[in-house]
Amino acid sequence: MSEIVERWMPSPFVFAILLTYIVFVAGLVNGSSPVDLLQYWYDGFWAFLAFSMQMVLILMTGFVIAYHPRVNSLLQRLARVPATGAQAAAFVGLISMSLAWIHWGFSLIMGAIFAREMGKAAHEEDIDVHYPLLAVGGYMGLGLTWHWGLSASAPLQLTDAGNIGEGTGFGFLESTVPAAETIFHPYAITLTILSIIFGTIVLYVLAPSGERAKGITEYVDEEELFDDDDAADSDVAEAATEEELSAETGKTPAERLNNSRVLGGLIALSGVVILALQFLQNGMGAFTLNAVNFGFLMAGLLIYQRPAYYRERFNDAAGAAAGIVLLFPFFAGIQGIMSGAGLATLLAEALLSVSTAATYPVVAWITGAIANLFVPSGGGEWLVVGPSVLQAAQDLGVPYGQATIAYAVGDAHTNLLNPFWALPLLAITGVKAREMFGYAIAMLLALIPFLAIVLWAVPY
């Protein structure tokens, strides 16, 4: 499978262009005119700019925290723990899936860095490890657990009163759906724990050994890989940064302001205080996508403190977000066609019409999985397909929380086929999409019977 994917899979950008043509043809078959479809496509490009910015902030705030020298040093030490290639792949996946529950952007960047550090450690200790599988392990948080966690788009959108009521797709909802009924419900937590265990085991089983295991130096130039070893050490890196910043601090009033721990620390603490007050006043109702972004933005500033230092790290994060900035409008255009031509609603209604109360979670998962192939944006996709999903749940007597969580895993699951969200990971690890996605698709297939069983069997 890996060989086939490596031969045939195009780049993520070309992948998006091909999907655009496929959806356009589907719109023609469904009865829309070419001119209308072009208009839907153009309108879709700009429909979710605010949401796009939220997604970029989630990624960049996670990136900045993950690249703090002391966090990076911890990953280097953890990379020395596994003794075999199978253990290494399983360990990277375990960390990635666990962190994704906390923050998908943090998991994606941390998983990528950890995969790279694990590949370096295996090379130095002569352990047979397949580097593309390590990359898949680093991507597993996006491919399985993120949409059940603290930065989950669909559940968090339902906590926002602005998305509920007259004039919205969710106008039939009488009130918001609190995170206690989705993210923090025992149903979602149980699914998360079981999925992390299963995903870790599959990564262990998938790991090749001997000559079939290709190490990091097959994909990343060895000179480039080990030239920055000293700089990668947290104590050295942090000491060098501190020395450089301290030298700048005493030069001019402007530089002293730029590197003031007081200015940075005070505003970060102010952010923490206001966020805490929001939760004290509103309970879990304060847990929204904006609150998650605000919290991680302030947490990053709190650990870096110096404003200039924090800004520099954001400059580094911009490179990781570049692919998403380019591709997001194209996938938004695809979403515009699917929404304007009625394809998304048609898909959801066709699948959900054959479900019963017992099978509904499985059907909702399949709906999310198929929709995500064409629109790999959990929040944007939910705005289009979510109303049909929850309307069907209401008709069948299925709790909104269960319906949302079941749908959410489908949205995450087919990230293992679509390379869109892997772009930052590819940039950090140095592998190409076609080099790792054979193993990602193997994982996707292994998850199908498991998810079908647990979604049907685990009670809400």
Side-chain angles (χ1 to χ4, degrees):
M1 187 179 295
S2 182
E3 290 173 355
I4 292 170
V5 171
E6 192 165 342
R7 180 175 174 81
W8 287 97
M9 188 174 191
S11 72
F13 189 31
V14 174
F15 192 89
I17 293 172
L18 292 174
L19 283 178
T20 302
Y21 290 129
I22 292 170
V23 173
F24 190 89
V25 171
L28 291 174
V29 172
N30 196 44
S32 297
S33 72
V35 174
D36 285 343
L37 289 171
L38 285 173
Q39 188 64 49
Y40 298 149
W41 182 57
Y42 175 79
D43 291 343
F45 259 68
W46 322 116
F48 299 116
L49 286 179
F51 179 72
S52 302
M53 185 61 179
Q54 288 176 318
M55 293 297 99
V56 168
L57 270 176
I58 278 186
L59 174 64
M60 293 179 71
T61 53
F63 183 104
V64 169
I65 294 174
Y67 259 119
H68 189 275
R70 293 202 178 279
V71 177
N72 194 243
S73 175
L74 173 62
L75 293 181
Q76 291 173 352
R77 290 195 294 271
L78 289 175
R80 303 288 173 176
V81 173
T84 67
Q87 290 177 12
F91 194 26
V92 173
L94 174 65
I95 296 295
S96 172
M97 289 183 284
S98 300
L99 289 176
W101 190 88
I102 300 171
H103 185 291
W104 71 259
F106 190 44
S107 164
L108 180 61
I109 302 305
M110 189 80 88
I113 298 171
F114 194 32
R116 184 180 175 96
E117 294 301 332
M118 188 71 78
K120 291 167 65 175
H123 176 77
E124 292 171 338
E125 297 180 14
D126 200 26
I127 296 173
D128 288 338
V129 66
H130 193 55
Y131 189 52
L133 185 60
L134 294 183
V136 173
Y139 190 52
M140 279 304 299
L142 267 288
L144 188 56
T145 55
W146 83 270
H147 217 154
W148 288 331
L150 303 185
S151 59
S153 297
L156 290 180
Q157 282 186 4
L158 293 179
T159 67
D160 187 347
N163 294 327
I164 307 299
E166 188 176 351
T168 73
F170 298 99
F172 58 91
L173 295 180
E174 295 180 358
S175 64
T176 58
V177 180
E181 295 181 20
T182 53
I183 296 168
F184 298 108
H185 195 279
Y187 177 72
I189 293 172
T190 301
L191 290 174
T192 301
I193 293 171
L194 291 176
S195 296
I196 290 174
I197 293 170
F198 183 81
T200 301
I201 292 170
V202 175
L203 283 168
Y204 185 92
V205 172
L206 281 177
S209 58
E211 293 182 358
R212 293 178 59 240
K214 297 180 180 179
I216 190 170
T217 53
E218 296 280 339
Y219 303 91
V220 184
D221 183 74
E222 194 165 351
E223 278 187 29
E224 173 196 335
L225 196 61
F226 295 102
D227 271 352
D228 59 351
D229 269 356
D230 290 337
D233 179 82
S234 75
D235 295 329
V236 174
E238 192 160 33
T241 303
E242 286 294 327
E243 184 178 344
E244 181 181 329
L245 291 172
S246 296
E248 289 183 358
T249 300
K251 289 182 180 178
T252 66
E255 285 164 349
R256 286 196 293 273
L257 287 172
N258 289 340
N259 294 290
S260 170
R261 291 182 184 274
V262 174
L263 285 179
L266 184 59
I267 198 163
L269 285 173
S270 301
V272 171
V273 169
I274 188 61
L275 199 59
L277 288 174
Q278 292 291 317
F279 278 94
L280 285 174
Q281 292 170 1
N282 304 307
M284 293 314 300
F287 203 88
T288 65
L289 191 55
N290 285 336
V292 169
N293 268 330
F294 186 82
F296 275 88
L297 191 64
M298 292 299 128
L301 185 55
L302 193 61
I303 64 173
Y304 282 95
Q305 295 183 349
R306 299 176 189 263
Y309 192 11
Y310 194 41
R311 178 186 53 78
E312 287 173 7
R313 297 289 74 78
F314 256 82
N315 288 346
D316 297 336
I324 291 174
V325 173
L326 171 64
L327 264 69
F328 211 108
F330 283 88
F331 278 107
I334 293 171
Q335 183 166 286
I337 296 174
M338 292 193 69
S339 177
L343 295 175
T345 303
L346 187 68
L347 166 67
E349 291 176 350
L351 287 169
L352 297 170
S353 66
V354 300
S355 67
T356 64
T359 62
Y360 178 87
V362 176
V363 176
W365 154 55
I366 295 171
T367 303
I370 295 174
N372 186 60
L373 288 175
F374 299 97
V375 189
S377 159
E381 176 191 321
W382 180 247
L383 290 174
V384 177
V385 183
S388 297
V389 171
L390 293 190
Q391 188 71 64
Q394 185 182 73
D395 295 342
L396 292 169
V398 176
Y400 292 139
Q402 183 179 19
T404 304
I405 290 299
Y407 172 89
V409 72
D411 170 75
H413 186 198
T414 42
N415 282 340
L416 292 168
L417 179 60
N418 192 327
F420 174 65
W421 290 111
L423 289 168
L425 178 138
L426 298 174
I428 292 169
T429 59
V431 300
K432 296 181 175 65
R434 58 188 174 84
E435 293 168 340
M436 66 171 272
F437 268 83
Y439 283 88
I441 294 170
M443 173 61 77
L444 180 145
L445 295 175
L447 284 168
I448 290 174
F450 166 78
L451 289 173
I453 291 169
V454 295
L455 287 170
W456 174 76
V458 173
Y460 182 78

Coordinates of all heavy atoms in Angstrom, one line a residue, residues 12-13 15-20 41 44-46 323-337 374-376 420:
P12 N -0.4 17.9 -1.7 CA -1.6 18.4 -1.1 C -2.3 19.5 -1.9 O -3.6 19.5 -1.9 CB -1.2 18.9 0.3 CG 0.0 18.1 0.6 CD 0.7 17.9 -0.7
F13 N -1.6 20.4 -2.5 CA -2.2 21.5 -3.3 C -2.9 20.9 -4.5 O -4.1 21.3 -4.8 CB -1.2 22.5 -3.7 CG -1.7 23.8 -4.3 CD1 -3.0 24.2 -3.9 CD2 -1.0 24.5 -5.2 CE1 -3.5 25.4 -4.5 CE2 -1.5 25.6 -5.8 CZ -2.8 26.1 -5.4
F15 N -3.9 17.9 -4.7 CA -5.0 17.1 -4.2 C -6.3 18.0 -4.0 O -7.4 17.6 -4.4 CB -4.6 16.5 -2.8 CG -5.5 15.5 -2.2 CD1 -5.3 14.1 -2.5 CD2 -6.5 15.9 -1.4 CE1 -6.1 13.2 -1.9 CE2 -7.4 14.9 -0.8 CZ -7.2 13.6 -1.1
A16 N -6.1 19.2 -3.5 CA -7.2 20.1 -3.4 C -7.8 20.5 -4.7 O -9.0 20.6 -4.9 CB -6.7 21.4 -2.6
I17 N -6.9 20.7 -5.7 CA -7.4 21.1 -7.0 C -8.2 20.0 -7.7 O -9.3 20.2 -8.2 CB -6.2 21.5 -7.9 CG1 -5.6 22.8 -7.4 CG2 -6.7 21.7 -9.4 CD1 -4.3 23.2 -8.1
L18 N -7.8 18.8 -7.5 CA -8.5 17.6 -8.1 C -9.8 17.4 -7.4 O -10.9 17.2 -8.1 CB -7.7 16.3 -7.9 CG -6.4 16.2 -8.8 CD1 -5.6 15.0 -8.4 CD2 -6.7 16.2 -10.3
L19 N -9.9 17.6 -6.1 CA -11.2 17.5 -5.4 C -12.1 18.6 -5.8 O -13.3 18.4 -5.9 CB -10.9 17.7 -3.9 CG -10.4 16.4 -3.1 CD1 -10.2 16.8 -1.6 CD2 -11.3 15.2 -3.3
T20 N -11.6 19.8 -6.2 CA -12.5 20.9 -6.7 C -13.2 20.4 -8.0 O -14.4 20.6 -8.1 CB -11.6 22.1 -7.0 OG1 -11.0 22.5 -5.8 CG2 -12.5 23.3 -7.5
W41 N -18.4 28.5 -5.9 CA -17.0 28.3 -5.6 C -16.3 29.6 -5.1 O -15.6 29.7 -4.1 CB -16.3 27.8 -6.9 CG -14.9 27.5 -6.7 CD1 -14.3 26.6 -5.9 CD2 -13.8 28.0 -7.6 NE1 -12.9 26.6 -6.1 CE2 -12.6 27.4 -7.1 CE3 -13.8 28.9 -8.6 CZ2 -11.4 27.7 -7.7 CZ3 -12.5 29.2 -9.2 CH2 -11.4 28.6 -8.8
G44 N -17.6 30.8 -1.8 CA -17.0 29.9 -0.7 C -15.6 30.3 -0.3 O -15.3 30.1 0.9
F45 N -14.9 30.9 -1.2 CA -13.5 31.2 -0.9 C -13.4 32.2 0.3 O -12.5 32.1 1.1 CB -12.8 31.9 -2.1 CG -11.9 31.0 -2.9 CD1 -12.4 30.0 -3.6 CD2 -10.6 31.3 -2.9 CE1 -11.6 29.1 -4.3 CE2 -9.7 30.4 -3.6 CZ -10.2 29.4 -4.3
W46 N -14.4 33.0 0.5 CA -14.4 34.1 1.5 C -15.4 33.9 2.6 O -15.5 34.8 3.4 CB -14.6 35.5 0.8 CG -13.9 35.5 -0.5 CD1 -14.5 35.7 -1.8 CD2 -12.5 35.4 -0.8 NE1 -13.6 35.6 -2.8 CE2 -12.4 35.5 -2.2 CE3 -11.4 35.2 0.0 CZ2 -11.1 35.4 -2.8 CZ3 -10.2 35.1 -0.6 CH2 -10.0 35.2 -2.0
G323 N 1.1 26.6 4.5 CA 0.3 25.7 3.6 C -1.1 25.8 3.9 O -2.0 25.7 2.9
I324 N -1.5 26.0 5.1 CA -2.9 26.1 5.5 C -3.5 27.4 4.9 O -4.6 27.4 4.4 CB -3.1 26.0 7.0 CG1 -2.8 24.6 7.5 CG2 -4.5 26.4 7.5 CD1 -2.8 24.4 9.0
V325 N -2.8 28.4 5.0 CA -3.2 29.7 4.5 C -3.5 29.6 3.0 O -4.5 30.2 2.5 CB -2.2 30.8 4.8 CG1 -2.6 32.1 4.1 CG2 -2.1 31.1 6.3
L326 N -2.7 28.9 2.3 CA -2.8 28.7 0.8 C -4.0 27.8 0.5 O -4.9 28.1 -0.3 CB -1.6 28.1 0.2 CG -1.7 27.7 -1.3 CD1 -2.0 28.9 -2.2 CD2 -0.4 27.0 -1.7
L327 N -4.1 26.6 1.2 CA -5.1 25.6 0.9 C -6.5 25.9 1.4 O -7.5 25.5 0.8 CB -4.6 24.2 1.3 CG -3.9 23.4 0.2 CD1 -2.5 24.1 -0.1 CD2 -3.7 22.0 0.7
F328 N -6.5 26.6 2.6 CA -7.9 26.8 3.2 C -8.9 27.5 2.3 O -10.0 27.0 2.2 CB -7.7 27.6 4.5 CG -8.7 27.2 5.5 CD1 -8.4 26.5 6.7 CD2 -10.1 27.6 5.4 CE1 -9.3 26.2 7.6 CE2 -11.0 27.2 6.3 CZ -10.6 26.5 7.5
P329 N -8.5 28.5 1.5 CA -9.5 29.1 0.6 C -10.0 28.1 -0.5 O -11.2 28.2 -0.8 CB -8.7 30.3 0.0 CG -7.7 30.6 1.0 CD -7.3 29.3 1.6
F330 N -9.1 27.3 -0.9 CA -9.5 26.3 -2.0 C -10.5 25.3 -1.4 O -11.5 24.9 -2.0 CB -8.3 25.6 -2.6 CG -7.5 26.4 -3.5 CD1 -6.6 27.3 -3.1 CD2 -7.9 26.4 -4.9 CE1 -5.9 28.1 -4.0 CE2 -7.2 27.2 -5.8 CZ -6.2 28.1 -5.4
F331 N -10.2 24.8 -0.2 CA -11.2 23.9 0.4 C -12.5 24.6 0.8 O -13.5 24.0 0.8 CB -10.5 23.2 1.6 CG -9.7 22.0 1.3 CD1 -8.3 22.1 1.3 CD2 -10.3 20.8 0.8 CE1 -7.5 21.0 1.0 CE2 -9.5 19.7 0.4 CZ -8.1 19.8 0.5
A332 N -12.4 25.9 1.2 CA -13.6 26.7 1.4 C -14.4 26.8 0.2 O -15.6 26.8 0.2 CB -13.2 28.1 2.0
G333 N -13.7 26.9 -1.0 CA -14.4 27.0 -2.3 C -15.1 25.7 -2.6 O -16.2 25.7 -3.0
I334 N -14.4 24.6 -2.3 CA -15.1 23.3 -2.4 C -16.3 23.2 -1.5 O -17.4 22.7 -1.9 CB -14.1 22.1 -2.0 CG1 -13.0 22.0 -3.0 CG2 -14.8 20.8 -1.9 CD1 -11.9 21.1 -2.6
Q335 N -16.2 23.7 -0.3 CA -17.3 23.7 0.6 C -18.4 24.6 0.1 O -19.6 24.3 0.3 CB -16.8 24.2 2.0 CG -17.9 24.2 3.0 CD -17.3 24.4 4.4 OE1 -16.7 23.5 5.0 NE2 -17.5 25.6 5.0
G336 N -18.1 25.7 -0.5 CA -19.1 26.6 -1.1 C -19.9 25.9 -2.2 O -21.1 26.0 -2.3
I337 N -19.2 25.1 -3.0 CA -19.9 24.3 -4.0 C -20.9 23.3 -3.4 O -22.0 23.1 -3.7 CB -19.0 23.6 -5.0 CG1 -18.1 24.6 -5.8 CG2 -19.7 22.7 -5.9 CD1 -17.1 24.0 -6.6
F374 N -13.9 16.0 1.4 CA -14.0 17.1 0.5 C -13.8 18.5 1.2 O -13.4 19.5 0.6 CB -15.3 17.1 -0.2 CG -15.6 15.9 -1.0 CD1 -16.2 14.8 -0.5 CD2 -15.0 15.8 -2.3 CE1 -16.4 13.6 -1.3 CE2 -15.2 14.6 -3.0 CZ -15.9 13.5 -2.5
V375 N -14.1 18.5 2.5 CA -14.0 19.8 3.2 C -13.2 19.5 4.5 O -13.9 19.3 5.6 CB -15.4 20.4 3.5 CG1 -15.2 21.8 4.1 CG2 -16.2 20.4 2.3
P376 N -11.9 19.4 4.5 CA -11.2 19.1 5.8 C -11.0 20.2 6.8 O -10.0 20.6 7.2 CB -9.8 18.7 5.2 CG -9.6 19.5 4.0 CD -11.0 19.7 3.4
F420 N -4.2 17.5 3.9 CA -4.3 19.0 4.2 C -3.7 19.4 5.5 O -2.8 20.2 5.6 CB -5.8 19.4 4.1 CG -6.0 20.8 4.5 CD1 -5.5 21.8 3.7 CD2 -6.7 21.2 5.6 CE1 -5.7 23.2 4.0 CE2 -7.0 22.5 5.9 CZ -6.4 23.5 5.2

